[in-house]
Amino acid sequence: MTETPSPGRDKRPQQVFTLAVEVGRKAGDGLPKGATGAGLLLYATGVDEAEAVREAVAVLKLADLAPLDVTGYGSLAEREAAGEEIDAEERALMARALAENAVIVAQMEPFFGEDRPAKG
């Protein structure tokens, strides 16, 4: 059964959000031997940041990663409004995420020992 939108209610457009995710260790995660976890920079789509976070966490879990913490940095428009400069490569990855309605991992940095970022 296909859901039809209620009359008078517009479907909100997908946006791309920039997220930083800290992952812990899990069997089969593919992280290097000796790593205690990793930090990931990714672009995820959603009608809002909360949906993008849920989608990103679900995809990471399917990839046998163990998400511990997610920090949102906003949509492309929000980042531009804050004065951030976004280079062509980053824009291309965001455009790909939007076109494919996907989660794109742009960077993954394994943590070793005390490499984990400090909370606070």
Side-chain angles (χ1 to χ4, degrees):
M1 184 166 163
T2 306
E3 240 180 79
T4 55
S6 355
R9 202 165 165 210
D10 291 330
K11 183 177 178 186
R12 295 188 299 168
Q14 294 281 311
Q15 299 180 73
V16 178
F17 294 87
T18 302
L19 306 173
V21 182
E22 184 179 343
V23 297
R25 292 307 311 252
K26 180 178 175 187
D29 61 16
L31 295 176
K33 184 177 181 178
T36 57
L40 287 74
L41 173 65
L42 53 88
Y43 306 107
T45 58
V47 295
D48 57 27
E49 194 169 73
E51 181 182 67
V53 168
R54 287 190 302 273
E55 292 295 323
V57 167
V59 167
L60 293 173
K61 286 180 177 181
L62 284 173
D64 285 330
L65 293 169
L68 300 174
D69 187 54
V70 180
T71 302
Y73 290 95
S75 68
L76 174 60
E78 290 168 340
R79 291 179 59 202
E80 287 175 325
E84 287 187 48
E85 288 189 30
I86 300 163
D87 66 28
E89 183 180 352
E90 190 173 5
R91 284 180 187 277
L93 289 170
M94 290 176 164
R96 180 178 166 202
L98 188 59
E100 297 176 7
N101 191 25
V103 175
I104 304 287
V105 177
Q107 184 177 352
M108 181 177 211
E109 187 70 34
F111 299 140
F112 295 93
E114 299 299 316
D115 285 353
R116 275 205 147 110
K119 298 281 180 193

